[in-house]
Coordinates of all heavy atoms in Angstrom, one line a residue:
Chain A
R73 N 17.8 27.8 -16.2 CA 16.9 26.6 -16.1 C 17.0 25.8 -14.8 O 16.1 25.2 -14.3 CB 17.2 25.7 -17.3 CG 16.8 26.3 -18.7 CD 17.0 25.3 -19.8 NE 16.3 24.1 -19.7 CZ 15.0 24.0 -20.1 NH1 14.4 25.0 -20.6 NH2 14.3 22.9 -19.9
L78 N 13.8 23.7 -14.0 CA 13.5 23.0 -15.2 C 14.5 21.9 -15.5 O 14.3 21.0 -16.3 CB 13.5 24.0 -16.4 CG 12.4 25.1 -16.4 CD1 12.6 26.1 -17.5 CD2 11.0 24.4 -16.5
E95 N 11.5 21.6 -9.0 CA 10.6 21.6 -10.1 C 10.0 23.0 -10.3 O 10.0 23.8 -9.3 CB 9.5 20.6 -10.1 CG 8.7 20.8 -8.8 CD 7.6 19.7 -8.7 OE1 7.5 18.8 -9.5 OE2 6.9 19.7 -7.7
P96 N 9.5 23.4 -11.5 CA 8.9 24.7 -11.6 C 7.7 24.8 -10.6 O 7.0 23.8 -10.5 CB 8.4 24.7 -13.0 CG 9.0 23.6 -13.7 CD 9.4 22.6 -12.7
N97 N 7.6 25.9 -10.0 CA 6.5 26.0 -9.0 C 6.0 27.4 -9.0 O 6.7 28.4 -9.4 CB 6.9 25.4 -7.7 CG 7.9 26.3 -7.0 OD1 7.6 27.4 -6.6 ND2 9.1 25.8 -6.9
P98 N 4.8 27.6 -8.5 CA 4.2 28.9 -8.5 C 4.8 30.0 -7.6 O 4.4 31.1 -7.6 CB 2.7 28.7 -8.1 CG 2.6 27.2 -8.1 CD 3.9 26.6 -8.0
M100 N 7.6 31.1 -8.2 CA 8.4 31.9 -9.1 C 7.7 32.0 -10.5 O 7.1 31.1 -11.0 CB 9.8 31.4 -9.4 CG 9.9 29.9 -9.6 SD 11.6 29.5 -9.5 CE 11.5 27.7 -9.3
I102 N 8.0 32.7 -14.4 CA 9.0 32.5 -15.4 C 8.6 33.2 -16.7 O 7.5 33.0 -17.1 CB 9.3 31.0 -15.7 CG1 9.6 30.3 -14.3 CG2 10.4 30.8 -16.7 CD1 9.8 28.8 -14.5
F104 N 10.0 33.7 -20.6 CA 11.0 33.3 -21.5 C 11.2 34.3 -22.7 O 10.3 35.1 -22.9 CB 10.6 32.0 -22.2 CG 10.5 30.8 -21.3 CD1 9.3 30.5 -20.6 CD2 11.6 30.0 -21.0 CE1 9.2 29.4 -19.7 CE2 11.5 28.9 -20.2 CZ 10.3 28.6 -19.5
Y107 N 8.3 34.1 -25.3 CA 7.0 34.3 -24.8 C 6.3 33.0 -24.3 O 5.8 33.0 -23.2 CB 6.1 35.0 -25.8 CG 6.7 35.9 -26.8 CD1 6.7 35.7 -28.1 CD2 7.5 37.0 -26.3 CE1 7.3 36.6 -29.0 CE2 8.1 37.9 -27.2 CZ 8.0 37.7 -28.5 OH 8.7 38.5 -29.4
H108 N 6.1 32.1 -25.2 CA 5.4 30.8 -24.9 C 4.0 31.1 -24.4 O 3.7 30.6 -23.3 CB 6.2 29.9 -24.0 CG 7.5 29.5 -24.6 ND1 7.7 29.1 -25.8 CD2 8.8 29.5 -24.0 CE1 9.0 28.8 -26.1 NE2 9.6 29.1 -25.0
L109 N 3.3 31.9 -25.1 CA 1.9 32.1 -24.7 C 1.1 30.9 -25.1 O 1.6 30.2 -26.0 CB 1.3 33.4 -25.3 CG 2.0 34.7 -25.0 CD1 1.3 35.8 -25.7 CD2 1.9 34.9 -23.5
F110 N -0.1 30.7 -24.5 CA -0.9 29.6 -25.0 C -1.7 30.1 -26.2 O -2.6 31.0 -26.0 CB -1.8 29.1 -23.9 CG -1.1 28.6 -22.6 CD1 -1.2 29.3 -21.4 CD2 -0.3 27.5 -22.7 CE1 -0.5 28.8 -20.3 CE2 0.4 27.1 -21.6 CZ 0.3 27.7 -20.4
P111 N -1.4 29.7 -27.4 CA -2.0 30.3 -28.6 C -3.5 30.2 -28.7 O -4.1 31.0 -29.3 CB -1.3 29.7 -29.7 CG -0.7 28.4 -29.2 CD -0.5 28.6 -27.7
W112 N -4.0 29.2 -28.0 CA -5.5 28.9 -28.1 C -6.3 29.8 -27.1 O -7.5 29.7 -27.1 CB -5.8 27.4 -27.9 CG -5.4 26.9 -26.6 CD1 -6.1 26.9 -25.5 CD2 -4.1 26.3 -26.3 NE1 -5.4 26.3 -24.4 CE2 -4.2 26.0 -24.9 CE3 -3.0 26.1 -27.0 CZ2 -3.1 25.4 -24.3 CZ3 -1.9 25.5 -26.3 CH2 -2.0 25.2 -25.0
F121 N -4.6 32.0 -16.6 CA -4.2 30.5 -16.6 C -3.8 30.0 -15.2 O -4.3 29.0 -14.7 CB -3.1 30.2 -17.6 CG -2.8 28.8 -17.8 CD1 -3.5 28.0 -18.8 CD2 -1.9 28.1 -17.0 CE1 -3.2 26.7 -18.9 CE2 -1.6 26.8 -17.1 CZ -2.3 26.1 -18.1
G122 N -2.8 30.7 -14.6 CA -2.3 30.2 -13.3 C -3.3 30.5 -12.2 O -3.4 29.7 -11.3
K125 N -5.8 27.8 -11.3 CA -5.4 26.6 -10.5 C -5.3 26.9 -9.0 O -4.9 26.1 -8.2 CB -4.0 26.1 -11.0 CG -3.8 26.2 -12.5 CD -4.5 25.1 -13.2 CE -4.3 25.3 -14.7 NZ -5.5 25.1 -15.5
D142 N -4.3 45.8 -17.5 CA -4.1 47.3 -17.4 C -2.7 47.7 -17.1 O -2.1 48.5 -17.8 CB -5.0 47.8 -16.3 CG -5.8 48.9 -16.7 OD1 -6.3 48.9 -17.8 OD2 -6.0 49.9 -15.9
L143 N -2.1 47.0 -16.1 CA -0.7 47.3 -15.7 C 0.3 47.2 -16.8 O 1.2 47.9 -16.9 CB -0.4 46.3 -14.5 CG 1.0 46.6 -13.9 CD1 0.9 47.7 -12.9 CD2 1.4 45.3 -13.1
V144 N 0.1 46.2 -17.7 CA 1.0 46.0 -18.8 C 0.6 46.7 -20.0 O 1.1 46.5 -21.1 CB 1.3 44.5 -19.1 CG1 2.0 43.8 -17.9 CG2 0.0 43.8 -19.5
G145 N -0.5 47.5 -19.9 CA -0.9 48.4 -21.0 C -1.6 47.7 -22.1 O -1.4 48.0 -23.3
L146 N -2.4 46.6 -21.8 CA -3.0 45.9 -22.9 C -4.5 46.0 -22.8 O -5.2 45.2 -23.4 CB -2.6 44.4 -22.9 CG -1.2 44.2 -23.5 CD1 -0.9 42.7 -23.3 CD2 -1.1 44.6 -24.9
D147 N -5.1 47.0 -22.1 CA -6.5 47.1 -22.1 C -7.0 47.4 -23.5 O -6.4 48.1 -24.2 CB -7.0 48.2 -21.1 CG -6.1 49.4 -21.0 OD1 -4.9 49.2 -21.2 OD2 -6.6 50.5 -20.9
F149 N -7.3 44.8 -25.5 CA -6.8 43.6 -26.2 C -7.2 42.3 -25.4 O -6.6 41.3 -25.8 CB -5.3 43.7 -26.5 CG -4.9 44.8 -27.4 CD1 -4.6 46.0 -27.0 CD2 -4.9 44.5 -28.8 CE1 -4.2 47.0 -27.8 CE2 -4.6 45.5 -29.7 CZ -4.2 46.8 -29.2
D151 N -9.6 40.3 -25.5 CA -10.1 39.2 -26.2 C -9.3 38.8 -27.5 O -9.8 38.0 -28.3 CB -11.6 39.5 -26.5 CG -12.4 39.6 -25.3 OD1 -12.2 38.8 -24.4 OD2 -13.2 40.5 -25.2
S152 N -8.1 39.4 -27.6 CA -7.3 39.1 -28.8 C -6.6 37.8 -28.5 O -6.2 37.5 -27.4 CB -6.3 40.2 -29.0 OG -6.9 41.4 -29.3
Y153 N -6.3 37.1 -29.6 CA -5.5 35.9 -29.5 C -4.0 36.3 -29.8 O -3.8 37.2 -30.5 CB -5.9 34.8 -30.5 CG -7.2 34.2 -30.1 CD1 -8.5 34.6 -30.6 CD2 -7.2 33.1 -29.2 CE1 -9.6 34.0 -30.2 CE2 -8.4 32.5 -28.8 CZ -9.6 33.0 -29.3 OH -10.8 32.4 -28.9
K155 N -1.8 35.3 -31.8 CA -1.4 35.4 -33.2 C -1.5 36.8 -33.7 O -0.8 37.2 -34.6 CB -2.2 34.5 -34.1 CG -3.6 34.9 -34.2 CD -4.3 34.3 -35.4 CE -5.8 34.7 -35.5 NZ -6.6 34.0 -36.3
S156 N -2.4 37.6 -33.1 CA -2.7 38.9 -33.7 C -1.9 40.0 -32.9 O -2.0 41.2 -33.1 CB -4.2 39.3 -33.7 OG -4.6 39.3 -32.3
L157 N -1.0 39.6 -32.0 CA -0.2 40.5 -31.2 C 1.2 40.6 -31.7 O 1.8 39.7 -32.2 CB -0.2 40.1 -29.7 CG -1.5 39.9 -29.0 CD1 -1.3 39.5 -27.6 CD2 -2.3 41.2 -29.0
S158 N 1.8 41.8 -31.5 CA 3.2 42.0 -31.9 C 4.1 41.3 -30.8 O 3.6 41.0 -29.7 CB 3.5 43.4 -32.0 OG 3.5 44.0 -30.7
G159 N 5.4 41.2 -31.0 CA 6.3 40.6 -30.1 C 6.3 41.3 -28.7 O 6.2 40.7 -27.7
G160 N 6.3 42.7 -28.8 CA 6.3 43.4 -27.5 C 5.0 43.2 -26.7 O 5.0 43.0 -25.5
M161 N 3.9 43.1 -27.4 CA 2.6 42.8 -26.7 C 2.6 41.4 -26.2 O 2.1 41.2 -25.1 CB 1.5 43.1 -27.7 CG 1.3 44.5 -28.2 SD 0.3 44.7 -29.6 CE -1.4 44.8 -28.9
R164 N 4.4 41.4 -23.0 CA 3.6 42.0 -21.9 C 2.6 41.0 -21.4 O 2.4 40.9 -20.1 CB 2.8 43.2 -22.5 CG 3.7 44.4 -22.8 CD 2.7 45.5 -23.3 NE 3.3 46.8 -23.2 CZ 4.0 47.4 -24.2 NH1 4.1 46.8 -25.4 NH2 4.5 48.6 -24.0
R169 N 1.0 37.3 -17.1 CA 0.7 35.9 -16.7 C 1.5 35.4 -15.6 O 1.1 34.8 -14.7 CB 0.8 35.0 -18.0 CG 0.5 33.6 -17.7 CD 0.6 32.8 -19.0 NE 2.0 32.7 -19.5 CZ 2.4 32.0 -20.5 NH1 1.5 31.4 -21.3 NH2 3.7 32.0 -20.9
A170 N 2.8 35.8 -15.7 CA 3.7 35.4 -14.6 C 3.4 36.1 -13.3 O 3.5 35.5 -12.2 CB 5.2 35.6 -15.0
I173 N 0.0 35.0 -10.6 CA 0.0 34.1 -9.4 C 0.8 34.7 -8.3 O 1.1 34.0 -7.3 CB 0.6 32.7 -9.8 CG1 1.9 32.8 -10.6 CG2 -0.4 32.0 -10.7 CD1 2.6 31.5 -10.8
D188 N 12.0 44.8 -31.0 CA 12.8 45.8 -31.6 C 13.3 46.8 -30.5 O 12.8 46.8 -29.4 CB 12.1 46.6 -32.7 CG 10.8 47.2 -32.1 OD1 10.9 48.3 -31.6 OD2 9.7 46.6 -32.3
Q190 N 13.2 50.0 -29.9 CA 12.3 50.9 -29.3 C 11.3 50.3 -28.2 O 11.2 50.8 -27.1 CB 11.5 51.6 -30.4 CG 10.9 53.0 -30.0 CD 9.9 53.4 -31.1 OE1 9.9 52.9 -32.2 NE2 9.1 54.4 -30.7
T191 N 10.7 49.2 -28.6 CA 9.8 48.4 -27.8 C 10.6 47.9 -26.5 O 10.1 48.0 -25.4 CB 9.2 47.2 -28.5 OG1 8.7 47.7 -29.7 CG2 8.1 46.6 -27.7
M194 N 11.0 50.6 -24.0 CA 9.8 50.8 -23.3 C 9.5 49.7 -22.2 O 9.1 50.0 -21.1 CB 8.7 50.8 -24.3 CG 7.6 51.8 -24.2 SD 7.0 52.2 -25.8 CE 6.2 50.7 -26.3
E198 N 8.9 49.8 -18.1 CA 7.7 49.2 -17.5 C 8.1 48.2 -16.5 O 7.5 48.1 -15.4 CB 6.8 48.7 -18.6 CG 6.3 49.8 -19.5 CD 5.5 49.3 -20.7 OE1 5.3 48.1 -20.8 OE2 5.2 50.1 -21.6
D201 N 9.2 49.8 -13.4 CA 8.0 50.4 -12.6 C 7.3 49.3 -11.8 O 7.0 49.4 -10.7 CB 7.0 51.0 -13.6 CG 7.5 52.3 -14.2 OD1 8.5 52.8 -13.7 OD2 6.9 52.8 -15.2
I202 N 7.1 48.2 -12.5 CA 6.4 47.1 -11.8 C 7.2 46.5 -10.7 O 6.7 46.3 -9.6 CB 6.1 45.9 -12.9 CG1 5.0 46.4 -13.9 CG2 5.6 44.7 -12.2 CD1 4.8 45.5 -15.0
Chain B
M6 N 1.7 53.6 -15.5 CA 2.6 53.0 -16.4 C 2.3 53.4 -17.9 O 1.2 53.5 -18.3 CB 2.6 51.5 -16.2 CG 3.0 50.7 -17.4 SD 3.0 49.0 -16.9 CE 3.9 48.4 -18.3
A7 N 3.4 53.6 -18.6 CA 3.2 54.0 -20.0 C 2.4 52.9 -20.8 O 2.8 51.7 -20.7 CB 4.5 54.2 -20.6
T8 N 1.5 53.3 -21.5 CA 0.7 52.3 -22.3 C 0.8 52.7 -23.8 O -0.2 52.6 -24.5 CB -0.8 52.3 -21.8 OG1 -1.3 53.6 -22.0 CG2 -0.9 51.8 -20.4
D9 N 1.9 53.0 -24.2 CA 2.1 53.4 -25.6 C 2.2 52.3 -26.5 O 3.2 51.6 -26.5 CB 3.4 54.3 -25.6 CG 3.5 55.0 -27.0 OD1 2.6 54.8 -27.8 OD2 4.6 55.6 -27.2
L10 N 1.2 52.0 -27.3 CA 1.3 50.9 -28.1 C 1.3 51.2 -29.6 O 0.9 50.4 -30.5 CB 0.1 50.0 -27.9 CG 0.0 49.3 -26.5 CD1 -1.3 48.5 -26.3 CD2 1.2 48.3 -26.3
Q11 N 1.6 52.5 -29.9 CA 1.6 52.9 -31.3 C 2.6 52.0 -32.1 O 3.7 51.7 -31.6 CB 2.0 54.4 -31.4 CG 2.9 54.8 -30.3 CD 3.9 55.8 -30.7 OE1 4.9 55.5 -31.4 NE2 3.7 57.1 -30.3
G12 N 2.2 51.7 -33.3 CA 3.1 50.9 -34.1 C 2.9 49.4 -33.8 O 3.1 48.6 -34.6
E13 N 2.4 49.1 -32.6 CA 2.1 47.7 -32.3 C 0.7 47.4 -32.6 O 0.3 46.4 -33.1 CB 2.3 47.4 -30.8 CG 3.8 47.6 -30.4 CD 4.0 47.2 -29.0 OE1 3.4 46.2 -28.6 OE2 4.7 47.9 -28.2
R14 N -0.2 48.5 -32.4 CA -1.6 48.3 -32.7 C -1.9 47.9 -34.1 O -2.8 47.2 -34.4 CB -2.3 49.6 -32.3 CG -3.7 49.5 -31.8 CD -4.1 50.9 -31.4 NE -3.8 51.1 -30.0 CZ -4.7 50.9 -29.0 NH1 -5.9 50.4 -29.3 NH2 -4.4 51.2 -27.8
R16 N -0.5 46.1 -36.1 CA -0.3 44.8 -36.6 C -1.4 43.8 -36.1 O -1.4 42.7 -36.4 CB 1.0 44.2 -36.1 CG 2.2 44.5 -37.1 CD 3.5 44.1 -36.5 NE 4.0 45.3 -35.8 CZ 5.2 45.2 -35.1 NH1 5.8 44.1 -35.0 NH2 5.6 46.2 -34.5
T17 N -2.3 44.4 -35.3 CA -3.4 43.5 -34.8 C -4.5 43.4 -35.9 O -4.8 44.3 -36.6 CB -4.1 44.2 -33.6 OG1 -3.5 45.4 -33.4 CG2 -4.1 43.3 -32.4
T18 N -5.0 42.2 -36.0 CA -6.1 42.0 -36.9 C -7.4 41.6 -36.2 O -7.3 41.0 -35.1 CB -5.7 40.9 -37.9 OG1 -5.2 39.8 -37.2 CG2 -4.7 41.3 -38.9
E19 N -8.5 41.8 -36.8 CA -9.8 41.4 -36.3 C -9.9 39.9 -36.5 O -9.7 39.4 -37.6 CB -10.9 42.2 -37.0 CG -11.1 43.6 -36.5 CD -11.5 43.6 -35.0 OE1 -12.4 42.8 -34.6 OE2 -10.9 44.4 -34.3
T20 N -10.4 39.2 -35.5 CA -10.6 37.8 -35.6 C -12.0 37.5 -36.0 O -12.3 36.4 -36.3 CB -10.2 37.1 -34.3 OG1 -10.8 37.8 -33.3 CG2 -8.7 37.0 -34.2
L23 N -14.1 36.5 -40.2 CA -13.8 35.3 -41.0 C -15.0 35.1 -41.9 O -16.2 35.3 -41.6 CB -13.7 34.1 -40.1 CG -12.4 33.9 -39.4 CD1 -12.6 32.7 -38.4 CD2 -11.3 33.5 -40.3
V170 N 3.6 18.8 -29.3 CA 3.4 19.8 -28.3 C 4.7 20.3 -27.7 O 5.5 19.5 -27.3 CB 2.4 19.3 -27.1 CG1 2.3 20.4 -26.1 CG2 1.1 19.0 -27.7
S171 N 4.9 21.6 -27.6 CA 6.2 22.1 -27.2 C 6.4 21.9 -25.7 O 5.6 22.1 -24.9 CB 6.3 23.6 -27.6 OG 6.4 24.4 -26.5
D173 N 8.2 23.6 -23.9 CA 8.3 24.9 -23.3 C 6.9 25.3 -22.7 O 6.8 25.8 -21.6 CB 8.7 26.0 -24.2 CG 10.1 25.7 -24.7 OD1 11.0 25.4 -23.9 OD2 10.3 25.7 -26.0
L174 N 5.8 25.0 -23.5 CA 4.5 25.3 -23.0 C 4.2 24.5 -21.8 O 3.5 24.9 -20.8 CB 3.4 25.0 -24.1 CG 3.3 26.0 -25.2 CD1 2.1 25.6 -26.1 CD2 3.0 27.4 -24.7
L175 N 4.7 23.2 -21.8 CA 4.5 22.4 -20.6 C 5.2 23.0 -19.4 O 4.7 23.0 -18.3 CB 4.9 21.0 -20.9 CG 4.2 20.3 -22.0 CD1 4.8 18.9 -22.3 CD2 2.7 20.1 -21.6
D176 N 6.4 23.5 -19.6 CA 7.2 24.1 -18.5 C 6.5 25.3 -18.0 O 6.4 25.5 -16.8 CB 8.6 24.5 -19.1 CG 9.5 23.3 -19.2 OD1 9.2 22.3 -18.6 OD2 10.5 23.5 -19.9
V177 N 6.0 26.1 -18.9 CA 5.2 27.3 -18.5 C 4.0 26.9 -17.6 O 3.8 27.4 -16.5 CB 4.7 28.1 -19.7 CG1 3.8 29.2 -19.2 CG2 5.9 28.8 -20.4
A178 N 3.3 25.9 -18.1 CA 2.1 25.5 -17.3 C 2.5 25.0 -15.9 O 1.9 25.3 -14.9 CB 1.4 24.4 -18.1
R179 N 3.6 24.2 -15.9 CA 4.1 23.7 -14.5 C 4.4 24.9 -13.6 O 4.1 24.9 -12.5 CB 5.3 22.8 -14.7 CG 4.9 21.5 -15.3 CD 6.1 20.5 -15.2 NE 5.9 19.3 -16.0 CZ 6.4 19.1 -17.2 NH1 7.2 20.0 -17.7 NH2 6.1 18.0 -17.8
S180 N 5.1 25.9 -14.2 CA 5.5 27.0 -13.4 C 4.3 27.9 -13.0 O 4.4 28.6 -12.0 CB 6.5 27.9 -14.1 OG 5.8 28.8 -15.0
L181 N 3.2 27.7 -13.6 CA 1.9 28.4 -13.3 C 1.1 27.5 -12.3 O -0.1 27.8 -12.1 CB 1.2 28.8 -14.5 CG 1.8 29.9 -15.3 CD1 1.2 30.1 -16.7 CD2 1.8 31.2 -14.6
G182 N 1.6 26.4 -11.9 CA 0.9 25.7 -10.8 C 0.2 24.4 -11.3 O -0.6 23.9 -10.5
V183 N 0.4 24.0 -12.5 CA -0.3 22.8 -13.0 C 0.6 21.6 -12.5 O 1.8 21.5 -12.8 CB -0.4 22.7 -14.5 CG1 -1.0 21.4 -14.9 CG2 -1.2 23.8 -15.0
K184 N -0.1 20.7 -11.7 CA 0.7 19.7 -11.0 C 0.6 18.3 -11.7 O 1.6 17.8 -12.1 CB 0.3 19.6 -9.5 CG 0.7 20.8 -8.7 CD 1.6 20.4 -7.6 CE 2.5 21.5 -7.1 NZ 2.1 22.8 -7.2
E188 N -4.1 17.0 -15.4 CA -4.4 18.4 -15.6 C -3.6 19.0 -16.7 O -4.1 19.8 -17.5 CB -4.0 19.1 -14.2 CG -4.3 20.5 -14.2 CD -5.8 20.9 -14.0 OE1 -6.5 20.0 -13.6 OE2 -6.2 22.0 -14.4
L189 N -2.4 18.6 -16.8 CA -1.5 19.0 -17.9 C -2.1 18.6 -19.3 O -2.1 19.4 -20.2 CB -0.1 18.4 -17.7 CG 1.1 19.3 -18.1 CD1 1.1 20.7 -17.5 CD2 2.4 18.6 -17.6
K191 N -5.2 17.9 -20.0 CA -6.4 18.6 -20.2 C -6.2 20.1 -20.6 O -6.8 20.6 -21.5 CB -7.3 18.6 -18.9 CG -8.6 18.0 -19.2 CD -9.4 17.8 -17.9 CE -9.5 19.0 -17.0 NZ -10.0 18.7 -15.6
S192 N -5.3 20.8 -19.8 CA -5.2 22.2 -20.0 C -4.2 22.6 -21.0 O -4.2 23.8 -21.5 CB -5.0 22.9 -18.7 OG -3.8 22.5 -18.1
V193 N -3.3 21.8 -21.4 CA -2.3 22.2 -22.4 C -2.2 21.2 -23.6 O -2.3 21.6 -24.7 CB -0.8 22.3 -21.7 CG1 0.2 22.7 -22.8 CG2 -0.9 23.3 -20.6
V194 N -2.0 19.9 -23.3 CA -1.7 19.0 -24.4 C -2.9 18.9 -25.4 O -2.6 19.1 -26.6 CB -1.4 17.6 -23.8 CG1 -1.2 16.6 -24.9 CG2 -0.2 17.6 -22.9
V195 N -4.1 18.7 -24.9 CA -5.2 18.5 -25.9 C -5.4 19.8 -26.6 O -5.5 19.8 -27.9 CB -6.4 18.0 -25.1 CG1 -7.7 18.1 -26.0 CG2 -6.2 16.5 -24.7
P196 N -5.5 21.0 -25.9 CA -5.7 22.2 -26.8 C -4.6 22.5 -27.7 O -4.8 22.9 -28.9 CB -5.9 23.3 -25.7 CG -5.8 22.7 -24.4 CD -5.6 21.3 -24.5
A197 N -3.4 22.2 -27.3 CA -2.2 22.5 -28.2 C -2.3 21.5 -29.4 O -1.8 21.9 -30.5 CB -0.9 22.3 -27.4
A198 N -2.8 20.3 -29.2 CA -2.8 19.3 -30.3 C -4.1 19.4 -31.1 O -4.3 18.7 -32.0 CB -2.6 17.9 -29.7
S199 N -5.0 20.3 -30.7 CA -6.3 20.3 -31.3 C -6.4 20.5 -32.8 O -7.2 19.9 -33.5 CB -7.3 21.3 -30.6 OG -6.7 22.6 -30.7
R268 N -14.6 27.4 -36.2 CA -15.0 28.1 -35.0 C -14.0 27.7 -33.9 O -13.5 28.5 -33.1 CB -16.4 27.6 -34.5 CG -17.5 28.1 -35.3 CD -18.4 29.1 -34.4 NE -18.9 30.2 -35.3 CZ -18.4 31.4 -35.2 NH1 -17.4 31.7 -34.4 NH2 -18.8 32.3 -36.0
V269 N -13.8 26.4 -33.8 CA -13.0 25.9 -32.7 C -11.5 26.4 -32.8 O -10.9 26.7 -31.8 CB -13.0 24.4 -32.6 CG1 -12.0 23.8 -31.6 CG2 -14.4 23.9 -32.3
L270 N -11.0 26.5 -34.0 CA -9.6 26.9 -34.2 C -9.5 28.3 -34.6 O -8.5 28.7 -35.3 CB -9.0 26.0 -35.3 CG -9.0 24.5 -35.0 CD1 -8.3 23.7 -36.1 CD2 -8.3 24.2 -33.6
V271 N -10.4 29.2 -34.2 CA -10.4 30.6 -34.5 C -9.1 31.2 -34.1 O -8.6 32.2 -34.7 CB -11.6 31.3 -33.9 CG1 -11.6 31.3 -32.4 CG2 -11.8 32.7 -34.5
W272 N -8.4 30.7 -33.1 CA -7.1 31.2 -32.6 C -6.0 31.0 -33.5 O -4.9 31.6 -33.3 CB -6.8 30.6 -31.2 CG -6.8 29.1 -31.2 CD1 -7.9 28.3 -30.9 CD2 -5.7 28.3 -31.4 NE1 -7.5 27.0 -31.0 CE2 -6.2 26.9 -31.3 CE3 -4.4 28.5 -31.7 CZ2 -5.4 25.8 -31.4 CZ3 -3.5 27.4 -31.8 CH2 -4.0 26.1 -31.7
R273 N -6.1 30.2 -34.5 CA -4.9 29.9 -35.4 C -4.6 31.0 -36.3 O -5.5 31.5 -37.0 CB -5.2 28.6 -36.2 CG -5.1 27.4 -35.3 CD -5.0 26.2 -36.2 NE -3.6 25.8 -36.4 CZ -3.3 25.0 -37.4 NH1 -4.2 24.5 -38.2 NH2 -2.0 24.7 -37.5

Side-chain angles (χ1 to χ4, degrees):
Chain A
R73 292 185 61 83
L78 298 171
E95 56 184 359
N97 68 70
M100 44 191 165
I102 305 177
F104 296 90
Y107 331 119
H108 300 317
L109 299 181
F110 302 115
W112 60 90
F121 186 94
K125 324 281 177 224
D142 229 38
L143 183 77
V144 296
L146 283 177
D147 37 327
F149 292 93
D151 297 317
S152 300
Y153 286 98
K155 69 161 180 193
S156 66
L157 303 178
S158 69
M161 291 164 89
R164 289 182 159 96
R169 180 178 64 180
I173 49 169
D188 60 81
Q190 203 190 342
T191 309
M194 220 151 67
E198 293 171 10
D201 288 346
I202 290 170
Chain B
M6 152 174 194
T8 57
D9 187 7
L10 292 174
Q11 27 146 287
E13 296 185 43
R14 212 173 270 265
R16 268 172 274 174
T17 1
T18 47
E19 280 298 314
T20 45
L23 283 171
V170 174
S171 114
D173 300 310
L174 281 185
L175 298 173
D176 284 342
V177 169
R179 286 191 192 100
S180 83
L181 289 169
V183 178
K184 291 242 156 26
E188 182 74 21
L189 215 50
K191 235 172 53 190
S192 62
V193 180
V194 176
V195 169
S199 61
R268 284 251 145 254
V269 175
L270 301 181
V271 65
W272 52 271
R273 288 192 92 194

